[in-house]
Amino acid sequence: MVLKRFGTMLLAALLVLSLLPAAALAARNETRVAEEMDMPAIIESKDADGTVNVYHWWTAGGEKDAIESVVDGFSNIYPNIRAKSNAIPGGAGGAMVMKVKVLQQAGKSPETFQAHPGQEIEPYLTSGLLLNLNQVWDYADIASRALPGLEELCTASDGNKYIVPIGIHKSNVIFYNIHVFEKYGVEIPDHQNITWDEFWAICDQLAAAMPDGEYPIDLGDRKGWPACQVFEDIMMGTDPQIYEDFINGTYNVEDVTTVLSTYARLMEYVAPDHSSRDWYETSGQLVAGTYAMQIMGAWMQPLMTSMGQVYGEDYGVFTFPGTDNWFGMCIDGFVVSNDSADVEAGLRWAYSMSTPEVQTSFSTLKESISPYTDTADTTYNALTLQFKNELTAETTKVFPSFTHGTALPWSASTSLQTQIQEFATSAEHDAEYFANRIVNILKEANVKGDWNLVD
């Protein structure tokens, strides 16, 4: 079993904001019902024509090449369908939800768009805007091909599947510039699972050695979510039980204060203008040597490659301190609107992503772990294979990301990102004050999960 102790999906109805007001219903195209569609005939119509509008948030170096490889793979299967790649900057899913809302209100629902499985797609389900993809899963035999545990994670609160996974990344990662460490004589540990004591010692040594204008760490949190990503990692690195309680709605101010107190200490080593940059701009400065480390998920790999960086020579990675043997799970996938101008084209896109050919090309360029067991290990570079082997090891436990849409309702996640960024940019970093605000966010969102990570 790969996704050990991953817990069950939340089955209770969620209180979420409707994406589509009643006044806009008239502007929508006709809603399609999956059970009334001949899915094998649709998928096997290789000479079909039409247009598939694909919305995604992959805009950084390397990511653009990866999504274009999926477009090319789709075109190889369906040469008469025009696939249009539409990038929505923002990352972590938040900007996509709002963009889809605007498009659907205008009667221009995208045929398919990027999403994370779990709580992120619940607002769409509440408004009845997604097409059931059970038949796509059956036709492509996804359940038997997927990594163990993924089927459960991709099963929504109503028991159906609305998303086809395309890639997996580890979220609890710290990237570091090997040349900066060598330049300032800071010893690089011979292991990736560094302890908190080792991490603080590294930060202290770098802070003492680096000149004005250079810093041990940067966040690149102009969009907010990278700061929340750090909060997520610190929480898991502090105590997995606190993390489990948090996403299940069993929270207290004392635990959150403890996590934020550690965050406050971390900020002593962070560039003070961290929120003026996007994460990929920080990555560029990491390569330039302005910052020694960046806390970011493994989706940073293709960007480093696009900048000519070689793993093991120019940069390395640490597992975030305190998260040894834990794998922060970030799963990307695509959903299909049930009211677009070309629903069949959306279904064909969803199917094409799961094919071995598309998985091989995408995983190679995205440097992501394929969700499918029939993707050969030769697809991966050294670092991706390392992460894949870690994910599939018997000793590894997995935790679902709440920054990236899986473990908390969308409304709670987006509000949390705002509060965490405000905390990170505040002068005093008042842990207890912001802990109260964060707890209130979860209360207002009525968070009630059923995750079992620790037992």
Side-chain angles (χ1 to χ4, degrees), residues 144-204:
S144 65
R145 296 170 52 221
L147 295 177
L150 277 180
E151 180 181 11
E152 180 183 16
L153 184 61
C154 292
T155 301
S157 60
D158 65 358
N160 294 309
K161 300 175 183 68
Y162 296 90
I163 190 167
V164 173
I166 190 172
I168 299 171
H169 284 296
K170 180 180 178 180
S171 63
N172 51 320
V173 181
I174 299 176
F175 285 74
Y176 65 91
N177 185 320
I178 292 175
H179 305 299
V180 171
F181 275 63
E182 293 176 341
K183 177 180 179 180
Y184 296 113
V186 178
E187 183 177 355
I188 298 173
D190 62 359
H191 53 279
Q192 293 186 357
N193 296 317
I194 60 174
T195 66
W196 278 108
D197 287 342
E198 288 175 317
F199 178 66
W200 296 131
I202 288 170
C203 291
D204 286 336

Side-chain angles (χ1 to χ4, degrees), residues 61-63 66 167-170 175 298-306 309 311 315 360-370 379-385 387:
E63 294 181 332
I168 299 171
H169 284 296
K170 180 180 178 180
F175 285 74
W299 50 86
M300 185 169 149
Q301 285 179 243
L303 177 59
M304 297 295 279
T305 299
S306 73
Q309 300 298 288
Y311 171 66
Y315 76 95
T360 297
S361 60
F362 176 81
S363 301
T364 299
L365 293 168
K366 190 65 166 62
E367 302 185 37
S368 56
I369 301 168
S370 172
T379 301
Y380 305 124
N381 59 26
L383 183 54
T384 307
L385 182 59
F387 286 141

Side-chain angles (χ1 to χ4, degrees), residues 17 139 267 310 318 335 390:
L17 294 175
Y139 184 91
M267 294 306 299
V310 177
F318 298 129
V335 297
E390 180 183 343

Side-chain angles (χ1 to χ4, degrees), residues 156-393:
S157 60
D158 65 358
N160 294 309
K161 300 175 183 68
Y162 296 90
I163 190 167
V164 173
I166 190 172
I168 299 171
H169 284 296
K170 180 180 178 180
S171 63
N172 51 320
V173 181
I174 299 176
F175 285 74
Y176 65 91
N177 185 320
I178 292 175
H179 305 299
V180 171
F181 275 63
E182 293 176 341
K183 177 180 179 180
Y184 296 113
V186 178
E187 183 177 355
I188 298 173
D190 62 359
H191 53 279
Q192 293 186 357
N193 296 317
I194 60 174
T195 66
W196 278 108
D197 287 342
E198 288 175 317
F199 178 66
W200 296 131
I202 288 170
C203 291
D204 286 336
Q205 292 174 62
L206 288 167
M210 298 178 79
D212 291 344
E214 297 181 10
Y215 299 90
I217 306 170
D218 193 52
L219 303 184
D221 57 320
R222 182 159 65 193
K223 291 294 193 293
W225 67 263
C228 193
Q229 174 75 56
V230 174
F231 175 70
E232 175 179 303
D233 289 339
I234 293 174
M235 180 176 289
M236 177 55 69
T238 300
D239 187 344
Q241 187 62 61
I242 294 177
Y243 194 97
E244 178 183 302
D245 291 344
F246 190 78
I247 60 178
N248 282 337
T250 305
Y251 37 76
N252 61 69
V253 172
E254 292 76 14
D255 284 345
V256 178
T257 300
T258 297
V259 174
L260 289 177
S261 295
T262 301
Y263 203 145
R265 179 175 179 182
L266 176 78
M267 294 306 299
E268 297 174 7
Y269 305 101
V270 174
D273 61 344
H274 56 88
S275 63
S276 67
R277 289 173 291 280
D278 282 321
W279 72 270
Y280 50 85
E281 294 171 319
T282 287
S283 301
Q285 291 301 306
L286 178 79
V287 170
T290 306
Y291 315 118
M293 295 180 287
Q294 181 178 357
I295 303 168
M296 187 51 57
W299 50 86
M300 185 169 149
Q301 285 179 243
L303 177 59
M304 297 295 279
T305 299
S306 73
M307 292 188 288
Q309 300 298 288
V310 177
Y311 171 66
E313 296 180 13
D314 300 305
Y315 76 95
V317 297
F318 298 129
T319 295
F320 195 88
T323 64
D324 184 11
N325 293 326
W326 286 95
F327 190 104
M329 179 69 83
C330 180
I331 303 171
D332 291 304
F334 281 83
V335 297
V336 176
S337 301
N338 63 9
D339 63 342
S340 72
D342 198 340
V343 174
E344 287 84 357
L347 287 166
R348 295 179 179 113
W349 173 270
Y351 161 73
S352 72
M353 292 187 311
S354 71
T355 62
E357 295 78 13
V358 170
Q359 277 297 307
T360 297
S361 60
F362 176 81
S363 301
T364 299
L365 293 168
K366 190 65 166 62
E367 302 185 37
S368 56
I369 301 168
S370 172
Y372 304 94
T373 57
D374 52 9
T375 302
D377 282 354
T378 53
T379 301
Y380 305 124
N381 59 26
L383 183 54
T384 307
L385 182 59
Q386 175 181 303
F387 286 141
K388 188 255 186 179
N389 289 337
E390 180 183 343
L391 173 61
T392 57

Side-chain angles (χ1 to χ4, degrees), residues 20 46 85 121 125 130 155 271 273 305 347 350 367:
L20 197 62
K46 303 300 173 62
S85 173
I121 68 171
L125 298 185
L130 294 184
T155 301
D273 61 344
T305 299
L347 287 166
E367 302 185 37

